[in-house]
Amino acid sequence: MAVNPETAHRTVGAANPPQLRAIRLRRQRIFKAIVLTLTLLFLFIPLASMLLFTVRHPLSGQWSLAPWQAIFTGNGESLGADLTVLWEGLGSSLLLCVVTVVIMLVLMVPTMVIVHIRSRRLERAIEWVSTLPLTIPAIVLVVGLGPIYRWLSADVLSTDPVWLCFAYVVLVMPFAFRSIAVGLNSIDVKTLVEASRSLGASWPRVFFRVIIPNLWQSILSASFISIAVVLGEYTVASLLGRMNLQVALYQLGQANSQVSTAMSLLALLFGVILLVALDLISTAMRTSKEGK
C-alpha cells in the first residue's frame, strides 16, 4: 500500500508540534542543569570544606590565615610544624615527576610506534601488559617490589627517593599507553613512514621529524597525567619507606593538620592547572593545524 509523503509529513508534524519540541528541549536543559549542579556540588563541597578547615581552628573556632602564611613564608615554628619535611617531600616528588616522565616516554613512544607499524597482534599484547597495573592494587605491587628495592638499595643503588621512578613508570603505564594509542590511531602512521622513507629519510629523521610532531598532543597528555599520578602517589612510597609529597603531608599532618590540608589544596590546584593547561595546549595545537 503506497503512503502519500505529504500525508505522512502532516501526521508527524501533528504528533510533534513545535510546542512539544520546545517543552522537550526545556526539560532536557533542566535535566542537564541539575546533573551539572549536582556534579559541581559533589566536587566543590569537599574542597570548600578543606579551605574552611584551613582558616578556622577546629577547637577554638578562631579565624586565621596562619597555615597559609606558614606555607608561603616557609616558617611553621609558630604552629609547631617543621616544614623541612614538606619541602623535602615536594622536591622529591617534582624530581620523580621529571625522571618518571622521561623514562616513560623513552620506553613507551618508540615501542608503541614500532609495534603499531609492524604488528597489530603484538600491539594488543603490549596493550594488555601496559594496562595490567590497573588490575593490581598498589599494595600488591609493593609486596613484589619490596625485595627488588631492598636488593637495589643495598647492592646497586641507594635509598634516595628518586629510584621510586621505576615503580612509578609501572603505575603510569596504563594512562600513558591510552593517551599515546589515541594519537597513533588518529593518524595514518604507515603512510607517513612509507612516504618519508621513499623520499630518502632515515629512520631517526622519520621518527623525530614526522611522527613525533603529529603525536605532540598525545605526548603532552601522557606526560601531564603521569605527573598528576606521581604527585598523588602515597602507598608505594610509604610502604617502601621513601619520602615524597604525600608521605610528607601525612607526617606534617601529625604535627599540624591545618598546614597539611592547605598544602593538599595547593597540590590539587596544581593538578587542575595541569589539566587546564593540557586542554588549552590541545586546543591551540588543533587550531594551528586547522589553520594550516
Side-chain angles (χ1 to χ4, degrees), residues 49-51 53-54 68 71 249 252-253 256-268:
S49 301
M50 292 175 66
L51 179 61
F53 177 77
T54 62
W68 295 95
I71 291 176
L249 289 176
L252 185 62
N256 191 298
S257 56
Q258 286 184 296
V259 178
S260 176
T261 303
M263 191 63 197
S264 299
L265 269 177
L266 290 178
L268 289 173

Side-chain angles (χ1 to χ4, degrees), residues 101-116 120 123 126-127 130 172-187 189 207 211-212 214-226:
V101 168
V102 170
I103 295 176
M104 178 270 297
L105 293 179
V106 170
L107 289 177
M108 298 290 292
V109 176
T111 302
M112 292 184 63
V113 170
I114 294 173
V115 171
H116 187 82
R120 303 291 291 184
E123 186 178 23
I126 292 180
E127 179 181 6
S130 298
V172 304
M173 272 200 312
F175 311 101
F177 177 89
R178 184 54 53 198
S179 299
I180 299 172
V182 169
L184 288 174
N185 293 328
S186 64
I187 60 176
V189 180
F207 182 77
I211 297 178
I212 292 298
N214 286 281
L215 292 178
W216 266 120
Q217 185 174 343
S218 298
I219 291 174
L220 287 175
S221 175
S223 301
F224 286 174
I225 293 175
S226 299

Side-chain angles (χ1 to χ4, degrees), residues 184-262:
L184 288 174
N185 293 328
S186 64
I187 60 176
D188 193 348
V189 180
K190 290 185 178 181
T191 302
L192 290 174
V193 171
E194 291 174 358
S196 302
R197 293 289 291 168
S198 65
L199 294 173
S202 62
W203 278 108
R205 190 177 182 85
V206 171
F207 182 77
F208 289 105
R209 299 295 299 274
V210 177
I211 297 178
I212 292 298
N214 286 281
L215 292 178
W216 266 120
Q217 185 174 343
S218 298
I219 291 174
L220 287 175
S221 175
S223 301
F224 286 174
I225 293 175
S226 299
I227 291 173
V229 171
V230 173
L231 288 178
E233 202 287 317
Y234 170 79
T235 305
V236 174
S238 177
L239 294 180
L240 290 179
R242 304 300 196 274
M243 177 63 67
N244 69 353
L245 177 60
Q246 298 302 320
V247 175
L249 289 176
Y250 172 78
Q251 294 183 3
L252 185 62
Q254 306 303 308
N256 191 298
S257 56
Q258 286 184 296
V259 178
S260 176
T261 303

Side-chain angles (χ1 to χ4, degrees), residues 46-111:
L47 298 179
S49 301
M50 292 175 66
L51 179 61
L52 179 64
F53 177 77
T54 62
V55 298
R56 184 177 183 273
H57 196 277
L59 298 179
S60 64
Q62 295 180 351
W63 297 84
S64 174
L65 295 176
W68 295 95
Q69 293 174 355
I71 291 176
F72 289 109
T73 59
N75 184 10
E77 294 179 0
S78 60
L79 300 176
D82 183 12
L83 297 185
T84 305
V85 176
L86 178 61
W87 306 134
E88 180 185 352
L90 179 60
S92 298
S93 288
L94 293 178
L95 181 59
L96 277 167
C97 288
V98 175
V99 178
T100 301
V101 168
V102 170
I103 295 176
M104 178 270 297
L105 293 179
V106 170
L107 289 177
M108 298 290 292
V109 176
T111 302

Side-chain angles (χ1 to χ4, degrees), residues 6 48 122 125 135 191 235 267:
E6 295 182 359
L122 186 58
T135 64
T191 302
T235 305

